Amino acid sequence: QVQVVESGGGLVQAGGSLRLACAASGRSLTTYAAGWFRQAPGKERDFVAAINYNGESRYYSDSVKGRFTISRDNAKNTVYLQMNSLKPEDTAVYYCAAESTRFPYEYNYWGQGTQVTVSS
């Protein structure tokens, strides 16, 4: 069984930056794609970004393209989401997902989420 744990969320002012990390245990992620999703209060969970197993393919939603960067360090079994130029509308719980069944949108394993709050 794979356990996925997110970290790095917090409160930041608009225009600021945060880096989220997604660590996996129970199985190596080096051969699996991973993704980030977010869910704002009262809204559905939305796709944010995804990366394939070796980092050569990356996908982003239009709302974060140019501001967020997804990356991975397979030696550390960790996937990152660097978030720059944050806006209040980026406020949400961010979820990491691993082992894609339908890349880049569907996954087998999900974390519990980390809260990101952007103040104006």
Side-chain angles (χ1 to χ4, degrees):
Q1 187 74 1
V2 177
Q3 288 188 324
V4 177
V5 179
E6 305 94 338
S7 62
L11 173 64
V12 64
Q13 289 188 334
S17 298
L18 281 174
R19 188 176 80 155
L20 305 183
C22 171
S25 61
R27 187 186 300 176
S28 172
L29 289 184
T30 57
T31 59
Y32 298 112
W36 287 96
F37 294 73
R38 67 186 181 187
Q39 187 168 20
K43 296 187 177 181
E44 294 185 351
R45 186 163 59 188
D46 290 331
F47 170 78
V48 174
I51 189 167
N52 76 330
Y53 76 100
N54 63 5
E56 292 184 355
S57 293
R58 309 183 193 199
Y59 293 82
Y60 299 94
S61 67
D62 288 342
S63 61
V64 307
K65 199 173 295 182
R67 299 187 299 122
F68 291 11
T69 302
I70 189 170
S71 62
R72 66 191 303 154
D73 185 339
N74 283 343
K76 296 182 178 179
N77 215 28
T78 301
V79 175
Y80 301 98
L81 185 68
Q82 178 67 44
M83 306 185 296
N84 298 329
S85 302
L86 282 161
K87 305 175 182 179
E89 50 264 43
D90 293 318
T91 295
V93 177
Y94 283 71
Y95 297 91
C96 178
E99 191 178 291
S100 178
T101 55
R102 187 166 168 248
F103 187 71
Y105 301 119
E106 297 181 8
Y107 297 83
N108 280 332
Y109 301 105
W110 294 82
Q112 293 299 307
T114 185
Q115 177 70 47
V116 172
T117 303
V118 184
S119 63
S120 57

